[in-house]
Amino acid sequence: MVYTIRTDVTLGRSLEDTFDFFSDAGNLEAITPPELRFSMKTPLPVEMRQGSLIEYELSLYGVPFSWLTEISVWEPGVRFIDHQIAGPFKVWHHEHCFERVADDKSRIRDQVRYVLPLEPFSRIIHPLVRTKLDRIFAYRTDKVREIMDGGPKAL
């Protein structure tokens, strides 16, 4: 079964600033919850382009795991897609879309499509996985607002 997560964040920053922030793999640690113990394995800076590979390690409930993603679509200022090559999901496809709202305001919309391994048995644990993913993306949204706008803001 394919599951979907969607987020939508408007920031008081230019499209260029917003895209630059999200396309810098060095910012991933800052927007990842500390309990995941995010660690970049690919040397920084990562040249972001179609075909770029990014490897990192995380820990969930004390169990470390590696994750390798590839940038499969790279359209500067418009969107990029990373998808999992190796990691905990059967499928992980994350599209980041960027939009200019005004000269000093931009919007980022994310859509993640994911499939858990071991279907149909994984449906039993999906509620736990989804709760964790929702918390991770809520943390990410709050941290992005804090870093880019100086604090959490309502949409």
Side-chain angles (χ1 to χ4, degrees), residues 11-24 27 98 100 103-104 106 148:
L11 300 169
R13 296 291 282 265
S14 71
L15 174 64
E16 294 76 16
D17 285 351
T18 300
F19 187 81
D20 287 349
F21 179 83
F22 279 91
S23 62
D24 181 349
N27 289 326
F98 300 85
R100 183 182 314 276
D103 286 345
D104 62 347
S106 57
M148 302 210 45

Side-chain angles (χ1 to χ4, degrees), residues 18-28 31 38 40 42-56 69-77 79-83 94 96 98 140:
T18 300
F19 187 81
D20 287 349
F21 179 83
F22 279 91
S23 62
D24 181 349
N27 289 326
L28 282 170
I31 63 173
F38 180 93
M40 181 69 72
T42 301
L44 294 174
V46 175
E47 181 189 350
M48 296 294 276
R49 59 179 172 71
Q50 186 171 338
S52 292
L53 298 176
I54 304 169
E55 184 177 12
Y56 43 94
T69 60
E70 177 183 22
I71 304 300
S72 56
V73 173
W74 182 253
E75 297 175 30
R79 72 182 181 129
F80 67 91
I81 296 172
D82 61 85
H83 73 271
H94 186 172
H96 314 251
F98 300 85
R140 177 180 177 263

Side-chain angles (χ1 to χ4, degrees), residues 42-125:
T42 301
L44 294 174
V46 175
E47 181 189 350
M48 296 294 276
R49 59 179 172 71
Q50 186 171 338
S52 292
L53 298 176
I54 304 169
E55 184 177 12
Y56 43 94
E57 190 171 273
L58 300 123
S59 181
L60 189 58
Y61 304 114
V63 178
F65 59 93
S66 293
W67 198 324
L68 177 64
T69 60
E70 177 183 22
I71 304 300
S72 56
V73 173
W74 182 253
E75 297 175 30
V78 178
R79 72 182 181 129
F80 67 91
I81 296 172
D82 61 85
H83 73 271
Q84 175 190 282
I85 301 287
F89 294 89
K90 183 174 181 182
V91 172
W92 181 270
H93 181 272
H94 186 172
E95 181 175 19
H96 314 251
C97 293
F98 300 85
E99 175 186 347
R100 183 182 314 276
V101 176
D103 286 345
D104 62 347
K105 195 178 237 186
S106 57
R107 183 179 200 177
I108 177 168
R109 293 183 185 154
D110 288 294
Q111 178 173 284
V112 178
R113 289 182 299 115
Y114 65 97
V115 175
L116 298 175
L118 305 172
E119 276 287 338
F121 305 108
S122 60
R123 292 179 194 194
I124 295 167
I125 65 158

